[in-house]
Amino acid sequence: MTLPPPQRDFTKHDELSDVNIVVEGTILYVHRQYLAEWSGVWRKLFITDCPDDLTSSIEIVLEDKNLDDVIELLQCIYSTQKPISETNVTFLLEFADEFDMPSMRSRCETFLCAQDACIDSLILAEKHDLKQLYKQCVDFAKTRTMEDLERDPLCKCLSERTLIKIYKEKVNMMRDYAQDLKNAETKLERRNGQLTDEKDGMIEMFKNISKIWDMPNKRCYKHMTEVTFDFTCRDCNEKIQREVRRMCHDAQHVRRFFKMNNK
Ligand SMILES: [Zn+2]
Protein backbone atom coordinates (compact mmCIF):
# COMPACT_ATOMS: atom_id res chain seq x y z
CA MET A 1 0.00 0.00 0.00
CA THR A 2 1.37 3.42 -0.95
CA LEU A 3 0.76 6.31 1.39
CA PRO A 4 -0.89 9.40 -0.08
CA PRO A 5 1.54 12.31 -0.58
CA PRO A 6 1.64 14.73 2.38
CA GLN A 7 -0.90 17.49 1.92
CA ARG A 8 0.09 21.13 1.87
CA ASP A 9 -1.00 23.23 4.87
CA PHE A 10 -2.52 26.34 3.28
CA THR A 11 -2.92 28.12 6.60
CA LYS A 12 0.88 28.36 7.00
CA HIS A 13 2.38 31.51 5.53
CA ASP A 14 4.48 30.90 2.46
CA GLU A 15 6.95 33.54 1.12
CA LEU A 16 6.05 32.77 -2.48
CA SER A 17 2.31 32.95 -1.94
CA ASP A 18 0.70 35.87 -3.78
CA VAL A 19 -3.00 35.31 -3.08
CA ASN A 20 -4.74 35.20 0.27
CA ILE A 21 -8.08 33.44 0.26
CA VAL A 22 -10.17 34.32 3.28
CA VAL A 23 -12.84 31.81 4.30
CA GLU A 24 -14.68 31.85 7.60
CA GLY A 25 -12.05 34.21 9.00
CA THR A 26 -9.12 31.96 8.11
CA ILE A 27 -6.44 33.06 5.64
CA LEU A 28 -5.25 30.48 3.12
CA TYR A 29 -1.93 31.29 1.46
CA VAL A 30 -2.07 30.25 -2.17
CA HIS A 31 -0.50 30.97 -5.56
CA ARG A 32 -2.19 32.70 -8.44
CA GLN A 33 -0.41 30.48 -10.94
CA TYR A 34 -2.25 27.40 -9.66
CA LEU A 35 -5.57 29.15 -9.34
CA ALA A 36 -5.31 30.65 -12.83
CA GLU A 37 -4.35 27.33 -14.36
CA TRP A 38 -7.50 25.66 -13.04
CA SER A 39 -10.10 28.39 -12.89
CA GLY A 40 -11.30 30.66 -15.67
CA VAL A 41 -12.90 32.98 -13.12
CA TRP A 42 -9.72 33.47 -11.11
CA ARG A 43 -7.55 33.74 -14.25
CA LYS A 44 -9.80 36.58 -15.41
CA LEU A 45 -9.55 38.21 -12.00
CA PHE A 46 -5.74 38.17 -12.06
CA ILE A 47 -5.29 39.18 -15.71
CA THR A 48 -8.18 41.50 -16.43
CA ASP A 49 -9.19 42.96 -13.12
CA CYS A 50 -5.76 43.64 -11.59
CA PRO A 51 -3.23 43.35 -14.44
CA ASP A 52 -0.60 45.57 -12.81
CA ASP A 53 -0.74 43.96 -9.45
CA LEU A 54 1.81 41.22 -10.06
CA THR A 55 3.94 41.62 -6.97
CA SER A 56 1.74 42.30 -3.97
CA SER A 57 -0.73 39.79 -2.60
CA ILE A 58 -4.33 39.76 -3.72
CA GLU A 59 -7.02 39.03 -1.20
CA ILE A 60 -10.06 36.98 -2.22
CA VAL A 61 -12.83 36.74 0.34
CA LEU A 62 -15.14 33.78 -0.15
CA GLU A 63 -18.24 34.80 1.83
CA ASP A 64 -20.57 31.82 1.56
CA LYS A 65 -18.05 28.96 1.51
CA ASN A 66 -17.11 26.31 4.01
CA LEU A 67 -13.42 26.36 5.05
CA ASP A 68 -12.94 22.57 4.84
CA ASP A 69 -14.50 22.47 1.37
CA VAL A 70 -12.19 25.22 0.08
CA ILE A 71 -9.11 23.49 1.54
CA GLU A 72 -10.19 20.23 -0.10
CA LEU A 73 -10.60 22.05 -3.42
CA LEU A 74 -7.09 23.53 -3.13
CA GLN A 75 -5.66 20.14 -2.25
CA CYS A 76 -7.27 18.70 -5.34
CA ILE A 77 -5.76 21.32 -7.68
CA TYR A 78 -2.25 21.68 -6.25
CA SER A 79 0.52 19.46 -7.61
CA THR A 80 0.07 17.04 -4.71
CA GLN A 81 -3.44 16.52 -6.10
CA LYS A 82 -5.81 14.73 -3.79
CA PRO A 83 -8.01 12.25 -5.60
CA ILE A 84 -11.67 12.93 -6.32
CA SER A 85 -13.84 10.87 -4.00
CA GLU A 86 -17.45 10.27 -3.09
CA THR A 87 -17.07 12.74 -0.24
CA ASN A 88 -15.68 15.67 -2.20
CA VAL A 89 -17.15 15.23 -5.68
CA THR A 90 -20.41 17.08 -4.99
CA PHE A 91 -18.90 20.33 -3.74
CA LEU A 92 -15.93 20.18 -6.14
CA LEU A 93 -18.47 20.23 -8.96
CA GLU A 94 -20.11 23.28 -7.38
CA PHE A 95 -16.72 25.05 -7.30
CA ALA A 96 -15.98 23.94 -10.84
CA ASP A 97 -19.18 25.61 -12.06
CA GLU A 98 -18.82 28.77 -10.01
CA PHE A 99 -15.15 29.37 -10.80
CA ASP A 100 -15.14 27.99 -14.35
CA MET A 101 -12.80 25.04 -13.78
CA PRO A 102 -13.17 22.73 -16.82
CA SER A 103 -10.31 20.38 -15.79
CA MET A 104 -11.83 19.89 -12.34
CA ARG A 105 -15.22 19.30 -13.90
CA SER A 106 -13.79 16.68 -16.20
CA ARG A 107 -11.89 14.97 -13.37
CA CYS A 108 -15.11 14.78 -11.36
CA GLU A 109 -17.01 13.39 -14.36
CA THR A 110 -14.31 10.76 -14.97
CA PHE A 111 -14.54 9.76 -11.33
CA LEU A 112 -18.34 9.47 -11.41
CA CYS A 113 -18.34 7.57 -14.71
CA ALA A 114 -16.06 4.96 -13.14
CA GLN A 115 -18.55 4.36 -10.30
CA ASP A 116 -21.71 2.26 -10.61
CA ALA A 117 -24.38 4.31 -12.35
CA CYS A 118 -27.12 5.51 -9.97
CA ILE A 119 -29.80 8.15 -9.67
CA ASP A 120 -27.52 10.30 -7.45
CA SER A 121 -25.02 10.54 -10.27
CA LEU A 122 -27.79 11.31 -12.73
CA ILE A 123 -28.86 14.25 -10.57
CA LEU A 124 -25.26 15.56 -10.57
CA ALA A 125 -24.93 14.97 -14.30
CA GLU A 126 -28.10 16.94 -14.91
CA LYS A 127 -27.18 19.77 -12.56
CA HIS A 128 -23.66 20.25 -13.94
CA ASP A 129 -24.38 19.26 -17.54
CA LEU A 130 -21.99 16.27 -17.57
CA LYS A 131 -22.98 14.70 -20.87
CA GLN A 132 -21.16 11.37 -20.74
CA LEU A 133 -22.28 10.68 -17.18
CA TYR A 134 -25.81 11.72 -18.09
CA LYS A 135 -25.98 9.19 -20.90
CA GLN A 136 -24.48 6.45 -18.73
CA CYS A 137 -26.98 7.07 -15.95
CA VAL A 138 -30.01 7.29 -18.26
CA ASP A 139 -28.93 3.93 -19.70
CA PHE A 140 -28.96 2.60 -16.16
CA ALA A 141 -32.26 4.23 -15.17
CA LYS A 142 -34.10 2.86 -18.19
CA THR A 143 -33.41 -0.71 -17.03
CA ARG A 144 -35.23 -0.13 -13.73
CA THR A 145 -38.95 -0.87 -13.46
CA MET A 146 -41.49 1.96 -13.48
CA GLU A 147 -42.40 1.02 -9.88
CA ASP A 148 -38.76 1.31 -8.77
CA LEU A 149 -38.44 4.70 -10.43
CA GLU A 150 -41.69 6.01 -8.98
CA ARG A 151 -40.87 4.76 -5.48
CA ASP A 152 -37.36 6.22 -5.46
CA PRO A 153 -37.48 9.62 -3.71
CA LEU A 154 -34.35 10.68 -5.61
CA CYS A 155 -36.29 10.47 -8.87
CA LYS A 156 -38.42 13.38 -7.63
CA CYS A 157 -35.26 15.53 -7.80
CA LEU A 158 -34.91 14.87 -11.53
CA SER A 159 -36.24 17.35 -14.08
CA GLU A 160 -39.27 16.62 -16.25
CA ARG A 161 -36.96 16.58 -19.26
CA THR A 162 -34.79 13.83 -17.78
CA LEU A 163 -37.77 11.76 -16.61
CA ILE A 164 -39.28 11.97 -20.09
CA LYS A 165 -35.92 10.99 -21.55
CA ILE A 166 -35.76 7.92 -19.24
CA TYR A 167 -39.32 6.88 -20.13
CA LYS A 168 -38.66 7.40 -23.82
CA GLU A 169 -35.48 5.29 -23.67
CA LYS A 170 -37.45 2.68 -21.74
CA VAL A 171 -40.12 2.55 -24.45
CA ASN A 172 -37.39 2.19 -27.10
CA MET A 173 -35.76 -0.59 -25.11
CA MET A 174 -39.08 -2.45 -24.78
CA ARG A 175 -39.77 -1.94 -28.49
CA ASP A 176 -36.39 -3.47 -29.37
CA TYR A 177 -37.08 -6.32 -26.96
CA ALA A 178 -40.49 -6.93 -28.51
CA GLN A 179 -38.86 -6.96 -31.95
CA ASP A 180 -36.27 -9.49 -30.75
CA LEU A 181 -39.03 -11.71 -29.38
CA LYS A 182 -40.91 -11.44 -32.65
CA ASN A 183 -37.80 -12.42 -34.61
CA ALA A 184 -37.22 -15.38 -32.29
CA GLU A 185 -40.84 -16.43 -32.71
CA THR A 186 -40.58 -16.30 -36.51
CA LYS A 187 -37.45 -18.42 -36.32
CA LEU A 188 -39.18 -20.97 -34.08
CA GLU A 189 -42.20 -21.07 -36.37
CA ARG A 190 -39.94 -21.75 -39.33
CA ARG A 191 -38.16 -24.51 -37.42
CA ASN A 192 -41.45 -25.96 -36.30
CA GLY A 193 -42.58 -26.05 -39.94
CA GLN A 194 -39.41 -27.92 -40.89
CA LEU A 195 -39.90 -30.47 -38.12
CA THR A 196 -43.54 -31.00 -39.06
CA ASP A 197 -42.41 -31.66 -42.64
CA GLU A 198 -39.82 -34.13 -41.39
CA LYS A 199 -42.38 -35.90 -39.26
CA ASP A 200 -44.80 -36.16 -42.20
CA GLY A 201 -41.95 -37.47 -44.33
CA MET A 202 -41.17 -40.09 -41.73
CA ILE A 203 -44.77 -41.28 -41.47
CA GLU A 204 -44.89 -41.46 -45.25
CA MET A 205 -41.68 -43.48 -45.30
CA PHE A 206 -42.93 -45.98 -42.74
CA LYS A 207 -46.10 -46.44 -44.76
CA ASN A 208 -43.99 -47.07 -47.85
CA ILE A 209 -41.73 -49.51 -46.03
CA SER A 210 -44.69 -51.50 -44.73
CA LYS A 211 -46.02 -51.75 -48.26
CA ILE A 212 -42.94 -53.25 -49.89
CA TRP A 213 -43.67 -56.81 -48.71
CA ASP A 214 -46.85 -56.61 -50.83
CA MET A 215 -45.04 -55.35 -53.94
CA PRO A 216 -44.19 -58.22 -56.36
CA ASN A 217 -41.42 -56.23 -58.09
CA LYS A 218 -39.46 -56.06 -54.80
CA ARG A 219 -39.03 -59.83 -54.76
CA CYS A 220 -36.55 -62.11 -56.48
CA TYR A 221 -37.27 -63.03 -60.10
CA LYS A 222 -38.57 -66.52 -59.09
CA HIS A 223 -41.28 -65.10 -56.85
CA MET A 224 -42.33 -62.00 -58.75
CA THR A 225 -45.60 -63.58 -59.82
CA GLU A 226 -46.59 -64.90 -56.37
CA VAL A 227 -49.53 -63.30 -54.51
CA THR A 228 -47.90 -63.31 -51.04
CA PHE A 229 -44.34 -62.82 -49.89
CA ASP A 230 -42.30 -65.95 -49.30
CA PHE A 231 -40.42 -65.35 -46.02
CA THR A 232 -38.45 -68.57 -46.49
CA CYS A 233 -36.76 -67.32 -49.68
CA ARG A 234 -33.30 -66.05 -48.95
CA ASP A 235 -33.13 -64.01 -52.19
CA CYS A 236 -36.45 -62.29 -51.52
CA ASN A 237 -35.36 -61.40 -47.97
CA GLU A 238 -32.03 -60.05 -49.14
CA LYS A 239 -33.69 -57.91 -51.80
CA ILE A 240 -36.17 -56.54 -49.27
CA GLN A 241 -33.39 -55.83 -46.77
CA ARG A 242 -31.44 -53.89 -49.38
CA GLU A 243 -34.56 -51.94 -50.23
CA VAL A 244 -35.31 -51.06 -46.58
CA ARG A 245 -31.71 -49.99 -46.07
CA ARG A 246 -31.91 -47.71 -49.12
CA MET A 247 -35.14 -46.11 -47.94
CA CYS A 248 -33.71 -45.51 -44.47
CA HIS A 249 -30.60 -43.98 -45.98
CA ASP A 250 -32.73 -41.64 -48.09
CA ALA A 251 -34.54 -40.56 -44.93
CA GLN A 252 -31.61 -39.43 -42.76
CA HIS A 253 -33.65 -36.43 -41.63
CA VAL A 254 -36.06 -38.87 -40.04
CA ARG A 255 -33.37 -40.08 -37.65
CA ARG A 256 -32.60 -36.49 -36.71
CA PHE A 257 -36.22 -35.95 -35.83
CA PHE A 258 -36.16 -39.01 -33.59
CA LYS A 259 -33.10 -37.82 -31.69
CA MET A 260 -34.61 -34.44 -30.97
CA ASN A 261 -37.90 -35.86 -29.77
CA ASN A 262 -36.37 -38.48 -27.54
CA LYS A 263 -34.30 -36.03 -25.53
ZN1 LIG B 1 -37.74 -65.32 -53.83
Side-chain angles (χ1 to χ4, degrees), residues 218-224 226 229-237 239:
K218 302 290 179 192
R219 295 169 202 165
C220 75
Y221 67 96
K222 286 175 283 177
H223 294 113
M224 277 196 182
E226 306 259 319
F229 187 83
D230 180 356
F231 282 93
T232 61
C233 171
R234 193 190 153 109
D235 291 338
C236 279
N237 278 324
K239 220 182 155 191

Coordinates of all heavy atoms in Angstrom, one line a residue, residues 218-224 226 229-237 239, ligand 1:
K218 N -40.5 -56.2 -55.8 CA -39.5 -56.1 -54.8 C -38.9 -57.5 -54.4 O -38.2 -57.6 -53.5 CB -39.9 -55.3 -53.5 CG -40.5 -53.9 -53.7 CD -39.4 -53.0 -54.1 CE -40.0 -51.6 -54.4 NZ -39.0 -50.7 -55.0
R219 N -39.5 -58.5 -55.1 CA -39.0 -59.8 -54.8 C -38.0 -60.3 -55.8 O -37.8 -59.7 -56.8 CB -40.2 -60.8 -54.8 CG -41.2 -60.4 -53.7 CD -42.5 -61.1 -53.8 NE -43.5 -60.3 -53.1 CZ -44.8 -60.6 -53.3 NH1 -45.3 -61.5 -54.1 NH2 -45.7 -59.8 -52.6
C220 N -37.5 -61.5 -55.5 CA -36.6 -62.1 -56.5 C -37.3 -62.6 -57.7 O -38.5 -62.7 -57.7 CB -35.8 -63.3 -55.9 SG -36.7 -64.8 -55.7
Y221 N -36.6 -62.7 -58.8 CA -37.3 -63.0 -60.1 C -38.1 -64.3 -60.1 O -39.1 -64.4 -60.7 CB -36.2 -63.1 -61.2 CG -35.3 -64.3 -61.1 CD1 -35.6 -65.5 -61.9 CD2 -34.2 -64.2 -60.3 CE1 -34.7 -66.6 -61.7 CE2 -33.3 -65.3 -60.2 CZ -33.6 -66.5 -60.9 OH -32.8 -67.6 -60.8
K222 N -37.8 -65.3 -59.2 CA -38.6 -66.5 -59.1 C -40.0 -66.3 -58.5 O -40.9 -66.9 -58.8 CB -37.9 -67.5 -58.2 CG -36.6 -68.2 -58.8 CD -35.9 -69.1 -57.8 CE -35.1 -68.2 -56.8 NZ -34.5 -69.0 -55.8
H223 N -40.0 -65.3 -57.6 CA -41.3 -65.1 -56.9 C -42.1 -63.9 -57.3 O -43.0 -63.5 -56.6 CB -41.0 -65.0 -55.3 CG -40.5 -66.3 -54.8 ND1 -39.2 -66.5 -54.3 CD2 -41.0 -67.5 -54.7 CE1 -39.0 -67.7 -54.0 NE2 -40.1 -68.4 -54.2
M224 N -41.7 -63.2 -58.3 CA -42.3 -62.0 -58.8 C -43.8 -62.2 -59.1 O -44.6 -61.2 -59.0 CB -41.6 -61.4 -60.0 CG -40.4 -60.6 -59.5 SD -39.8 -59.5 -60.8 CE -38.4 -58.8 -60.1
E226 N -45.8 -64.4 -57.5 CA -46.6 -64.9 -56.4 C -47.5 -63.8 -55.8 O -47.2 -62.6 -55.8 CB -45.6 -65.4 -55.3 CG -44.6 -66.4 -55.8 CD -44.9 -67.8 -55.4 OE1 -45.4 -68.0 -54.3 OE2 -44.7 -68.7 -56.3
F229 N -45.8 -62.8 -50.0 CA -44.3 -62.8 -49.9 C -43.9 -64.1 -49.3 O -44.5 -64.6 -48.3 CB -43.9 -61.6 -49.0 CG -42.5 -61.4 -48.9 CD1 -41.8 -60.7 -49.9 CD2 -41.8 -62.0 -47.8 CE1 -40.4 -60.6 -49.8 CE2 -40.4 -61.8 -47.7 CZ -39.7 -61.1 -48.7
D230 N -42.8 -64.7 -49.8 CA -42.3 -65.9 -49.3 C -41.1 -65.7 -48.3 O -40.0 -65.4 -48.8 CB -41.8 -66.8 -50.5 CG -41.3 -68.1 -50.0 OD1 -41.2 -68.4 -48.7 OD2 -40.9 -69.0 -50.8
F231 N -41.4 -65.7 -47.0 CA -40.4 -65.4 -46.0 C -39.3 -66.4 -45.9 O -38.3 -66.1 -45.3 CB -41.1 -65.2 -44.6 CG -41.8 -63.8 -44.5 CD1 -43.1 -63.7 -44.8 CD2 -41.0 -62.7 -44.2 CE1 -43.8 -62.5 -44.7 CE2 -41.7 -61.5 -44.1 CZ -43.0 -61.4 -44.3
T232 N -39.5 -67.6 -46.5 CA -38.4 -68.6 -46.5 C -37.4 -68.4 -47.6 O -36.3 -69.0 -47.5 CB -39.1 -70.0 -46.6 OG1 -39.7 -70.1 -47.9 CG2 -40.0 -70.3 -45.5
C233 N -37.7 -67.5 -48.6 CA -36.8 -67.3 -49.7 C -35.7 -66.3 -49.3 O -35.9 -65.2 -49.0 CB -37.5 -66.8 -50.9 SG -36.3 -66.4 -52.2
R234 N -34.5 -66.8 -49.3 CA -33.3 -66.0 -49.0 C -33.1 -64.9 -49.9 O -32.8 -63.7 -49.5 CB -32.1 -67.0 -49.1 CG -30.8 -66.5 -48.4 CD -29.7 -67.4 -48.8 NE -28.5 -66.7 -48.8 CZ -27.5 -66.8 -47.9 NH1 -27.6 -67.8 -47.0 NH2 -26.4 -66.1 -47.9
D235 N -33.3 -65.1 -51.2 CA -33.1 -64.0 -52.2 C -34.1 -62.9 -52.0 O -33.8 -61.7 -52.0 CB -33.3 -64.6 -53.6 CG -32.1 -65.5 -54.0 OD1 -31.0 -65.3 -53.3 OD2 -32.2 -66.3 -54.9
C236 N -35.4 -63.3 -51.8 CA -36.4 -62.3 -51.5 C -36.1 -61.4 -50.3 O -36.2 -60.2 -50.3 CB -37.8 -62.9 -51.3 SG -38.6 -63.4 -52.8
N237 N -35.7 -62.1 -49.2 CA -35.4 -61.4 -48.0 C -34.2 -60.4 -48.2 O -34.2 -59.3 -47.7 CB -35.0 -62.4 -46.9 CG -36.3 -62.9 -46.2 OD1 -37.3 -62.2 -46.1 ND2 -36.3 -64.2 -45.9
K239 N -33.3 -59.0 -51.0 CA -33.7 -57.9 -51.8 C -34.5 -56.9 -51.0 O -34.3 -55.7 -51.1 CB -34.6 -58.4 -52.9 CG -34.2 -57.7 -54.3 CD -35.1 -58.2 -55.4 CE -35.1 -57.0 -56.4 NZ -36.1 -57.2 -57.4
Ligands
ZN1 ZN -37.7 -65.3 -53.8

